[in-house]
């Protein structure tokens, strides 16, 4: 109970966002939680969308442990500032067998912190195409000065296709 209380307090203090204590479930770590979500909400052979460059363990987990197919939506590198390829994202989300999108926020390893508008656009595209968003936000507190991480749940009122994975262990 004290952990949940601390987590709720931190999200309110850091992000001005209210976490319902009932939303909090425990896992052995963020990768384990992503793995569990993929296995629970997709089928063997389904596509899982990644925006590379992204945390390398996601590829191995998707292909090796969950027996799903990685569908790449390559980020656009604008002289070290990475942006979403919106046309490609729409394209891969529209494929019915692509059932999940692993959002790394902030994007690891490139350090990209997504804006509210970008997150809302991702959610809109995914919702329209019935794609589950699995948001790994374990590095949310580790951003450069002048940037603000926005928890995925804080940018919408419709949580129907979102699993937010986080924790405060990386921060402290």
């Amino acid at each position: 109970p004290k952990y949940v209380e601390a987590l709720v307090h931190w999200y309110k203090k850091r992000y001005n966002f209210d976490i319902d204590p009932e939303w909090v479930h425990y896992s052995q770590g963020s990768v384990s939680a992503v793995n569990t979500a993929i296995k629970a909400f997709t089928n063997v052979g389904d596509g899982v969308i990644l925006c590379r460059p992204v945390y390398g363990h996601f590829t191995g987990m998707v292909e090796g442990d969950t027996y799903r197919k990685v569908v790449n939506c390559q980020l656009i590198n604008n002289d070290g500032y990475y942006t979403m390829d919106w046309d490609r994202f729409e394209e891969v989300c529209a494929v019915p067998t692509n059932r999940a999108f692993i959002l790394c926020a902030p994007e690891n390893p490139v350090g990209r912190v997504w804006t509210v508008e970008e997150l809302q656009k991702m959610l809109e595209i995914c919702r329209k195409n019935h794609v589950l968003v699995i948001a790994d936000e374990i590095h949310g507190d580790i951003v450069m000065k002048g940037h603000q991480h926005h928890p995925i749940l804080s940018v919408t009122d419709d949580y129907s296709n979102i699993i937010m994975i986080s924790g405060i262990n990386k921060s402290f």
Side-chain angles (χ1 to χ4, degrees), residues 8-110:
V8 169
H9 173 75
W10 183 250
Y11 268 78
K12 183 66 174 178
K13 177 181 174 184
R14 177 82 167 171
Y15 304 111
N16 195 30
F17 180 68
D18 293 314
I19 295 251
D20 183 333
E22 303 250 336
W23 297 347
V24 179
H25 298 274
Y26 302 96
S27 72
Q28 295 178 355
S30 61
V31 172
S32 173
V34 171
N35 183 310
T36 299
I38 289 170
K39 287 179 178 176
F41 294 100
T42 68
N43 298 307
V44 170
D46 282 346
V48 176
I49 301 162
L50 297 177
C51 295
R52 292 179 174 145
V54 72
Y55 181 56
H57 282 83
F58 289 154
T59 297
M61 175 190 53
V62 169
E63 293 177 341
D65 190 39
T66 68
Y67 303 103
R68 274 57 170 182
K69 180 178 77 170
V70 168
V71 177
N72 187 32
C73 178
Q74 189 75 29
L75 294 175
I76 299 169
N77 182 353
N78 295 303
D79 198 27
Y81 183 79
Y82 289 82
T83 59
M84 181 67 79
D85 181 339
W86 293 111
D87 291 336
R88 173 75 176 146
F89 190 66
E90 290 243 21
E91 176 187 313
V92 297
C93 285
V95 176
T97 54
N98 294 342
R99 307 261 323 264
F101 164 47
I102 300 175
L103 169 63
C104 194
E107 192 77 18
N108 177 10
V110 301

Side-chain angles (χ1 to χ4, degrees), residues 157-168:
D157 293 327
D158 181 354
Y159 307 145
S160 63
N161 69 321
I162 304 168
I163 296 173
M164 184 178 86
I165 297 168
S166 188
I168 54 178

